[in-house]
């Protein structure tokens, strides 16, 4: 009996050791995990004023978990039953013609949302991509990550015309996608990213000359267009040991006549009013609106807060993003847009709710506002 127990113990220890070795090997070999900032870069990041003890910080004290534990939240997400957590059918999608976005029209402002936060903004004759997660599967272990609602997108990375700039808000897998970056790297002139995120792009073969890290309030000038990094209230990390090793941002686009704001991910805070005072009003604001929970209320906004944030930045028109692709929280898949549209009506905030791939052109013609999410699967 004792001999059998010893043998079983050795076998268990061997299995644990094997799993540990496999995990370390995977972490070191999987390209999806990206790269790491150099020691010299880390020293330079300390000059930013929001990098301390090897981690980036928010403007306000911010907790990832404001209630419960990570284990309890994960257990609830994996094994709990949330009514209508995913749609019963693919979401309506309007295929995007590459030729329609190949024509340079300097005075045109147009935005096309592809689901989640991936969006194309045409402004000042430039094609700007925000957080282009254009893959159906997410992350290095797709069997363990949320499944995209639709098996195909309005356009593939390969079909896109040349891109003047890709802007990344932070390095989480649902915003910075390895496969998409690999497909875009040879057709994108510039990648503008928060501090530290450049290491991922370099590890994935993006030319160093095309990678530009911006701190909050840094700006760059393209012909006819200014791109400005602004604060957000979030966190970062692609592995188990690199939380907050890279920064996170929201973004401002300014042409001579038009302005666009993209919130990235993050909780509500006074930075929205500050951005509105300094850079608003905005013709269009793409606002995070989805994947929220009371237990992480400081790093993601509730839909009502998303509407208030749009008002804070002085947005003439709000386009809710960060929904319509993946289930990453314990709420119904269409809860974000239902709550946001109701709150926008209450507060008098103009809002547009396009189908996936349906262009939005502020100031020209009627805006997409049909409540299409009410008839999915019917």
């Amino acid at each position: 009996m004792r001999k059998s127990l010893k043998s079983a113990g050795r076998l268990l220890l061997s299995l644990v050791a094997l799993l540990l070795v496999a995990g370390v090997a995977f972490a070191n070999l999987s390209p999806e995990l990206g790269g790491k900032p150099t020691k010299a870069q880390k020293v330079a990041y300390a000059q930013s004023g929001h990098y301390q003890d090897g981690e980036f910080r928010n403007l306000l004290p911010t907790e990832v978990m404001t209630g419960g534990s990570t284990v309890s939240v994960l257990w609830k997400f994996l094994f709990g039953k949330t009514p209508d957590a995913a749609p019963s059918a693919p979401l309506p999608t309007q295929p995007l013609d590459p030729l329609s976005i190949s024509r340079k029209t300097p005075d045109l402002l147009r935005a096309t949302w592809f689901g989640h936060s991936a969006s194309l903004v045409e402004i000042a004759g430039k094609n700007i991509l925000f957080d282009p997660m254009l893959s159906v599967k997410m992350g290095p272990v797709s069997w363990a990550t949320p499944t995209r609602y639709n098996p195909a997108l309005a356009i593939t990375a390969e079909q896109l015309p040349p891109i003047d700039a890709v802007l990344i808000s932070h390095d989480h897998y649902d915003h910075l996608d390895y496969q998409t970056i690999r497909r875009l790297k040879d057709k994108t002139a510039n990648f503008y990213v928060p501090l530290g995120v450049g290491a991922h792009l370099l590890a994935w073969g993006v030319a160093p000359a095309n990678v530009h890290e911006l701190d909050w309030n840094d700006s760059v000038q393209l012909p006819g267009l200014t791109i400005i990094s602004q604060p957000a209230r979030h966190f970062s990390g692609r592995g188990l040991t690199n939380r907050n090793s890279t920064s996170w941002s929201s973004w401002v686009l300014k042409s001579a006549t038009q302005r666009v704001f993209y919130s990235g991910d993050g909780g509500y805070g006074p930075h929205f009013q500050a951005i509105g005072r300094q850079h608003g009003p905005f013709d269009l604001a793409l606002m995070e609106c989805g994947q929220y929970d009371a237990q992480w209320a400081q790093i993601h906004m509730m839909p009502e807060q998303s509407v208030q944030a749009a008002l804070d930045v002085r947005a003439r028109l709000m386009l809710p993003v960060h929904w319509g692709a993946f289930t990453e929280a314990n709420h119904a898949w269409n809860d974000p847009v239902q709550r946001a549209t109701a709150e926008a009506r209450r507060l008098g905030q103009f809002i547009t709710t396009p189908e996936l791939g349906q262009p939005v052109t502020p100031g020209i013609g009627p805006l997409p506002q049909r409540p299409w999410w009410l008839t999915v699967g019917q």
Side-chain angles (χ1 to χ4, degrees), residues 91-98 100-101 110-116 118-120 122 134 148 150 152-155 319 324 353-361 368 372:
L91 306 187
T93 301
Q94 297 190 15
L96 186 61
D97 180 7
S100 70
I101 51 177
R110 184 167 57 189
T112 307
W113 172 59
F114 303 121
H116 207 59
S119 307
L120 171 71
E122 299 165 79
L134 301 179
R148 196 173 202 116
N150 288 19
L153 285 85
I155 197 169
L319 197 168
T353 53
E355 296 180 3
L356 307 185
Q358 182 179 13
V360 173
T361 309
W372 54 265

Side-chain angles (χ1 to χ4, degrees), residues 113-371:
W113 172 59
F114 303 121
H116 207 59
S117 294
S119 307
L120 171 71
V121 172
E122 299 165 79
I123 182 173
K126 304 284 188 298
N127 289 328
I128 311 296
L129 269 176
F130 288 121
D131 286 352
M133 201 299 177
L134 301 179
S135 295
V136 173
K137 297 181 178 180
M138 185 198 305
V141 283
S142 57
W143 54 267
T145 52
T147 301
R148 196 173 202 116
Y149 301 152
N150 288 19
L153 285 85
I155 197 169
T156 67
E158 290 85 354
Q159 292 171 324
L160 284 167
I163 301 300
D164 296 283
V166 166
L167 275 59
I168 302 296
S169 64
H170 63 296
D171 69 0
H172 287 159
Y173 289 101
D174 55 336
H175 294 259
L176 178 60
D177 178 55
Y178 165 73
Q179 295 292 346
T180 303
I181 297 300
R182 293 282 295 175
R183 291 175 170 87
L184 290 176
K185 67 184 182 68
D186 295 325
K187 64 169 63 180
T188 301
N190 298 285
F191 290 83
Y192 297 106
V193 301
L195 298 179
V197 176
H200 301 315
L201 304 186
L202 296 177
W204 298 339
V206 178
N210 297 347
V211 178
H212 314 277
E213 292 190 351
L214 274 65
D215 193 8
W216 293 341
N217 300 310
D218 285 349
S219 64
V220 293
Q221 196 78 38
L222 299 181
L225 184 67
T226 302
I227 299 173
I228 309 168
S229 170
Q230 287 292 279
R233 190 183 185 191
H234 202 48
F235 71 111
S236 67
R238 292 176 74 84
L240 298 176
T241 60
N242 64 349
R243 173 168 291 186
N244 296 342
S245 62
T246 63
S247 189
W248 45 92
S249 298
S250 59
W251 293 98
V252 168
L253 303 179
K254 289 184 183 180
S255 73
T257 57
Q258 296 156 330
R259 300 187 179 198
V260 174
F261 176 69
Y262 169 48
S263 68
D265 276 10
Y268 183 73
H271 59 286
F272 289 116
Q273 285 191 356
I275 292 167
R277 285 193 301 268
Q278 184 173 3
H279 300 293
F282 292 96
D283 300 278
L284 176 67
L286 294 88
M287 303 299 300
E288 179 217 83
C289 184
Q291 321 317 320
Y292 44 79
D293 192 285
Q295 292 184 309
W296 55 80
Q298 295 183 0
I299 57 167
H300 284 295
M301 291 185 285
M302 299 294 178
E304 293 77 15
Q305 292 177 312
S306 298
V307 175
Q308 183 59 55
L311 289 166
D312 289 352
V313 300
R314 299 195 291 157
R316 297 189 177 105
L317 179 64
M318 171 186 172
L319 197 168
V321 301
H322 207 240
W323 71 284
F326 303 102
T327 295
E328 299 180 295
N330 296 305
H331 58 68
W333 73 271
N334 56 7
D335 188 59
V337 68
Q338 294 193 73
R339 290 173 58 175
T341 52
E343 184 71 356
R345 282 194 301 270
R346 189 180 76 85
L347 297 180
Q349 170 66 56
F350 287 108
I351 191 170
T352 184
T353 53
E355 296 180 3
L356 307 185
Q358 182 179 13
V360 173
T361 309
I364 301 178
L367 294 168
Q369 292 179 318
R370 185 178 70 86

